[in-house]
């Protein structure tokens, strides 16, 4: 067993993590896998009628065939891929939920080609379930305006560069050579275009469908621990309140939102007493301004959890001496330092065998 | 090691496969995995301008933010997920290419929940690369009509039920209980709606972009063996002719199309001399009528390959005593019988160490 020299921020956390790994961090000598597979969950049948029939050649050089767009469709399902270990060291499967305009690829790889957190947490001994929420990736998407009421949004590179805090306002440029990332930023900015290939369109009118499918997932595979990012924060928090017996721990990476505690019956928080929650935030939180609003919303929720008896930790990474992380911190150069600390937190929280 | 009793159609093929597996078919006791990950390949930057700016609340309960849809996007990339073994028994990685209106999920699972061919061929000792072609799944999709020139098609359940030969003409019904599958059909028809959750929209104007990204994939990870389905047939055949030194074998499951040999310089076929090609076809090939046209197109290509010296096998499954398979034969109840025969063919073709 060896541990990378760069992983020296928290020696205690590091050793806890290394000791529990089957090999070096992110570099398993051999991962003993029992099963790989996937499934769709949630959603249901919707029928359309009254749309015009067309003749279409579905592949170049082939004869046109009659396409009738009217009929039955499965819509609003989500996609889940799993890798189960022969001998998991974690007590519960780890569900990895991505953010808005993205898919489960968030966890599979890093834009500079290093292994993603999926492999990290597999190596640390977790059965891992990586999903694509309703409307994106392998979950597919439903026709609009007939089924989804709005059109989708396509995130530009500039919007992502700024919103994900790769660089400050107006530091993006179409020409890679002329982009100015934060000088101490940890995102591999030279590989930003590779990251942009992961972007998928998003709808703003599908929250209920997304949450409903996540609920079916929770009912199917939990008790579990949820590792979530950004948009998934509100869904995970809502489902923890609704199914507290199924949520054994939660790690929220820059959750974009959470339910307003004033709208939640206090007894619901008490049902999460003893459950470990970890909230993780990166650097540069004051530009753009909406991130501090996210922080404030999520802090109120976190405080209500703690008041109800949950075991809450709130990690402001710069305050812990870890600087330069943006919103996609699971892809940053120091991302495995953070993963190792999360793994150590899980061990301390009793989530490992 | 044990082999399921139901897998008795071809004892020779079966034993070849079982002997080379790390455990029972589809049920690895332990798969020694070296690395899991994914990447995007192909495509590039496209810029849009002149579209109206909007104010949008991107999640319920959060304040609207300004969304400018103008700017730069990565488009026409494809997505590839890989699982590499510690000690592969195959000489080359196995690339699994899905059909139209579908994604790599085709290979990951079966609608009735049994493990997919991804796990089968991992268990047999192949490093496996499962991809989503341009325009679908985790490859994302580009805005239309600004980037993709046409709107997408959404396949209805009725169209899929008939086109994929689950049942005959007009045997589909919106009510599951009233659908009439072929009585001797091997598709798990009771799970057809679960299969329909895998459907994704498709474009008819993106063939060149799809082929360009597949070419980048071939240049990145081959020499390789390609296991393809349906729509991918034409892309794989075209790239085999273009990069013969990189294609060490090909298994075409119901290829929808292939280049017309009359349009190909004969010397190109000669460059594939010695390369093993296997073409596999299921049952019920005469309804709907377009399948027999696919068969005829692909047979002409196969004959030209054989004439050029490639080692071609053409499997008409009913003629081999295997009946009841439709277009999604990798999901059929007897699908692992077919996989075992394909694995045995690979061994005989010298594709294993």
């Amino acid at each position: 067993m060896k541990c990378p020299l760069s992983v020296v921020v928290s020696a205690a956390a590091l050793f806890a993590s290394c000791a529990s790994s089957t090999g070096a961090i992110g570099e398993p000598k051999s991962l003993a896998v029992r099963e790989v597979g996937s499934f769709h969950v949630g959603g249901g049948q919707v029928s359309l009628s009254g749309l015009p029939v067309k003749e279409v050649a579905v592949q170049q050089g082939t004869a046109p065939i009659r396409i009738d767009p009217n009929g039955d469709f499965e819509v609003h399902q989500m996609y889940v891929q799993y890798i189960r270990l022969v001998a998991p060291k974690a007590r519960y499967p780890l569900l990895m939920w991505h953010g808005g305009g993205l898919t489960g690829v968030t966890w599979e790889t890093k834009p500079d080609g290093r292994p993603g957190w999926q492999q990290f947490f597999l190596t640390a001994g977790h059965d891992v379930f990586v999903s694509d929420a309703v409307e994106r990736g392998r979950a597919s998407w439903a026709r609009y305006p007939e089924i989804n009421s709005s059109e989708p949004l396509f995130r530009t590179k500039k919007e992502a560069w700024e919103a994900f805090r790769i660089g400050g306002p107006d530091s993006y440029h179409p020409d890679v050579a002329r982009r100015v990332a934060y000088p101490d930023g940890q995102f591999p900015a030279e590989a930003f275009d590779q990251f942009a290939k992961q972007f998928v369109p998003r709808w703003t009118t599908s929250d209920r469908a997304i949450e409903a499918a996540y609920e079916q997932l929770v009912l199917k595979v939990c008790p579990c621990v949820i590792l979530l990012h950004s948009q998934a924060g509100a869904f995970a928090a809502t489902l923890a309140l609704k199914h507290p017996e199924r949520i054994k721990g939660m790690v929220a990476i820059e959750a974009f939102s959470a339910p307003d505690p004033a709208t939640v019956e206090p007894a619901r928080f008490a049902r999460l007493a003893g459950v470990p929650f970890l909230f993780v935030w990166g650097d540069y939180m004051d530009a753009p301004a909406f991130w501090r609003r996210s922080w404030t919303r999520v802090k109120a929720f976190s405080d209500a959890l703690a008041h109800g008896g949950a075991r809450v930790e709130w990690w402001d990474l710069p305050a812990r001496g870890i600087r330069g992380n943006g919103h996609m911190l699971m892809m940053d150069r120091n991302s495995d330092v953070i993963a190792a600390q999360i793994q150590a937190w899980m061990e301390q929280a009793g989530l490992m065998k």
Side-chain angles (χ1 to χ4, degrees), chain A residues 113-129:
Chain A
R114 288 171 303 136
W117 279 12
Q118 177 192 40
Q119 180 166 304
F120 185 98
F121 286 102
L122 279 167
T123 303
H126 302 260
D127 285 352
V128 165
F129 288 65

Side-chain angles (χ1 to χ4, degrees), chain A residues 205-283:
Chain A
T205 48
S206 54
D207 282 7
R208 272 196 302 182
I210 296 171
E211 184 179 307
Y214 270 132
E215 183 171 18
Q216 292 305 308
L217 173 60
V218 164
L219 293 174
K220 183 180 172 81
V221 307
C222 298
C224 61
V225 174
I226 301 176
L227 169 60
L228 66 91
H229 183 230
S230 199
Q231 183 199 26
F235 303 124
T238 300
L239 291 172
L241 292 170
K242 194 165 179 183
H243 300 288
E245 73 291 354
R246 291 179 181 268
I247 308 301
K248 299 302 180 187
M250 190 175 293
V251 180
I253 309 296
E254 299 219 340
F256 183 73
S257 190
D260 178 353
T263 67
V264 179
E265 197 190 342
R268 292 213 162 261
F269 285 105
R271 292 171 65 197
L272 287 162
V275 176
F277 284 79
L278 174 60
F279 296 88
V280 180
W281 299 90
D283 209 339

Side-chain angles (χ1 to χ4, degrees), chain A residues 82-330:
Chain A
Y82 58 88
I83 301 182
R84 290 179 180 276
L85 301 174
V86 172
K89 295 170 186 161
R91 291 187 188 278
Y92 309 102
L94 183 65
L95 278 51
M96 305 179 89
W97 295 7
H98 61 75
L102 294 166
T103 70
V105 176
T106 291
W107 310 108
E108 287 185 338
T109 188
K110 296 169 186 169
D112 56 5
R114 288 171 303 136
W117 279 12
Q118 177 192 40
Q119 180 166 304
F120 185 98
F121 286 102
L122 279 167
T123 303
H126 302 260
D127 285 352
V128 165
F129 288 65
V130 174
S131 49
D132 295 351
V134 170
E135 90 188 9
R136 75 201 95 191
R138 288 172 165 179
S140 194
W141 55 279
R143 189 175 175 122
Y144 63 90
E146 295 86 355
I147 300 173
N148 281 333
S149 58
S150 69
E151 62 176 8
L153 300 178
F154 294 77
R155 184 180 275 142
T156 65
K157 291 188 188 182
K158 178 177 190 293
E159 181 192 337
W161 178 274
E162 296 177 359
F164 296 168
R165 313 194 312 275
I166 316 295
D170 297 319
S171 64
Y172 172 82
H173 194 280
D175 179 353
V176 178
R178 297 179 63 184
R179 294 174 196 164
V180 183
Y182 286 123
D184 56 349
Q186 292 282 358
F187 189 87
E190 71 287 355
F192 177 79
D193 283 351
Q194 186 65 24
F195 171 50
K197 293 179 191 291
Q198 300 179 15
F199 299 176
V200 292
R202 68 186 298 177
W203 278 261
T204 57
T205 48
S206 54
D207 282 7
R208 272 196 302 182
I210 296 171
E211 184 179 307
Y214 270 132
E215 183 171 18
Q216 292 305 308
L217 173 60
V218 164
L219 293 174
K220 183 180 172 81
V221 307
C222 298
C224 61
V225 174
I226 301 176
L227 169 60
L228 66 91
H229 183 230
S230 199
Q231 183 199 26
F235 303 124
T238 300
L239 291 172
L241 292 170
K242 194 165 179 183
H243 300 288
E245 73 291 354
R246 291 179 181 268
I247 308 301
K248 299 302 180 187
M250 190 175 293
V251 180
I253 309 296
E254 299 219 340
F256 183 73
S257 190
D260 178 353
T263 67
V264 179
E265 197 190 342
R268 292 213 162 261
F269 285 105
R271 292 171 65 197
L272 287 162
V275 176
F277 284 79
L278 174 60
F279 296 88
V280 180
W281 299 90
D283 209 339
Y284 322 111
M285 288 302 296
D286 292 302
F290 60 79
W291 288 119
R292 192 57 75 181
R293 292 198 292 273
S294 287
W295 168 295
T296 303
R297 270 194 305 271
V298 176
K299 188 68 170 70
F301 182 81
S302 162
D303 289 347
L305 279 173
H307 186 76
R311 295 150 62 201
V312 177
E313 285 203 28
W314 184 269
W315 287 1
D316 173 7
L317 291 180
R320 293 167 65 88
I322 301 180
R323 298 191 181 280
N325 292 105
H327 189 52
M328 304 307 301
L329 58 83
M330 73 293 290

Side-chain angles (χ1 to χ4, degrees), chain A residues 46-51 68-73 75 143-147:
Chain A
V46 166
S47 303
L48 294 178
S49 59
L51 298 166
D68 182 350
N70 301 293
D72 308 322
F73 305 86
V75 303
R143 189 175 175 122
Y144 63 90
E146 295 86 355
I147 300 173

